[in-house]
Structures are given as C-alpha cells and as structure tokens.
Amino acid sequence: MLSPETPILLLTTGGTIDKIYFDALSDYQVGETVMAKLLDIARVKHPFRIEEVTRKDSLELDDHDRALIYARVAAAAEKHVVITHGTDTMTETAKQLAGIAGKTIVLVGALAPARFGESDASFNLGMAFAAAQVAEPGVYITMSGSVFRADKVVKDRAKGAFVPIAE
C-alpha cells in the first residue's frame, strides 16, 4: 500500500471529464482541466502533482499522443499515476502502457463533464486515487464504482459502461 507521503502523479489528456459546453448551438470542447478544483473540493490531503499531456477527445488521440502519454508515465519519478482520459479509446491507451513495469497506472474518465452538477467525474476520480494507492503495479481502469484490470475490460457503448471481458 502507498505511503501517505508518497505523491500521485495525475496526468490529464482531455476527454469528456474536462469538456465544456458553451450554449445550445455549440459542440462540447475539451477545456482547461478542472481536476485540481475537484481534488480541492473533495479536500484531498494525499500529495499529488498534475501535468497536462493533451486536451483532446479520446477519438482524436493518435499513436503520437499515446507515445507521449507512455513517455510521461515512464519518465515520471512517481510510481503511482492516475490518467484522466476519454472513455472511447481508454483501453487502447491502457494497452500501450502495459509495457511499463513497476508502476501502478489507473485510467479514469467520465460519462458526463466534471463541470456538470450531475457528473460521475468526482466519484470516478476518487476511485482512481484510491485504486492507485492500494493496487499492485499494473494498468487499471476505474469507472462507475468498479476497478478493472485494463486488459480484462471493454467499453460497452450500448450499456454506456465498462464491462469485464468474458473469458
């Protein structure tokens, strides 16, 4: 288990969790991250550091972006990393990160923007911070109250949820 003094690195990449909505005539756009604000509101006392990697919808992420995310995680001094990410390609990025040994990496997103009052973002972020502190090294996805090994889960678009892969 992670020591209370050991910081968690929070990397932001965009996705619905950080989307903003201007008006009825506008599309959602990924804006400046609100993760520090969410952690402040939640009164998180565990030390953390936030770095932005990209501000993209996950459908816009490409191999270059995933290589950049990989490089940031691999180079980080922190052994516990939470990554905010859009849900549509979260499992693809998780597969890329599987080659990083000795780190606990947790990807997290939201089905509704954090700026919305009825968003799942705060809860999911809290789950990710908890998972990063107690999970063994590896890559995980946490959404909707569940923690999954990243190689054992898929997004079921019809259900609007992540579900275990049938074995």
Side-chain angles (χ1 to χ4, degrees):
M1 184 145 81
L2 183 63
S3 162
E5 298 83 35
T6 305
I8 294 173
L9 173 60
L10 174 59
L11 296 177
T12 65
T13 68
T16 297
I17 200 165
D18 271 325
K19 284 192 174 176
I20 54 177
Y21 181 71
F22 297 103
D23 57 42
L25 301 176
S26 303
D27 290 327
Y28 290 102
Q29 295 178 11
V30 177
E32 186 175 332
T33 188
V34 294
M35 295 307 104
K37 182 177 180 179
L38 291 182
L39 294 169
D40 183 53
I41 289 169
R43 294 177 174 79
V44 171
K45 301 299 182 217
H46 193 96
F48 62 89
R49 180 171 68 89
I50 299 176
E51 281 186 20
E52 180 180 278
V53 181
T54 66
R55 280 190 198 176
K56 292 185 176 183
D57 184 284
S58 72
L59 293 172
E60 297 172 357
L61 292 176
D62 57 26
D63 290 341
H64 176 265
D65 296 317
R66 286 187 177 81
L68 181 60
I69 295 166
Y70 181 99
R72 289 281 192 85
V73 173
E78 294 88 351
K79 300 291 186 203
H80 303 268
V81 182
V82 171
I83 303 171
T84 63
H85 196 289
T87 60
D88 287 316
T89 64
M90 190 181 283
T91 56
E92 291 175 40
T93 300
K95 284 177 192 170
Q96 294 265 334
L97 298 170
I100 300 174
K103 294 195 180 198
T104 303
I105 305 162
V106 183
L107 288 89
V108 63
L111 299 176
R115 290 169 172 85
F116 284 17
E118 294 185 12
S119 174
D120 55 336
S122 294
F123 183 80
N124 291 344
L125 184 61
M127 288 281 301
F129 258 66
Q133 292 178 60
V134 300
E136 296 295 320
V139 184
Y140 303 87
I141 290 175
T142 182
M143 290 287 298
S144 306
S146 294
V147 179
F148 304 96
R149 288 193 47 95
D151 59 346
K152 305 281 187 205
V153 67
V154 294
K155 182 178 178 183
D156 184 326
R157 291 177 199 268
K159 291 182 180 177
F162 282 79
V163 295
I165 296 173
E167 292 189 38

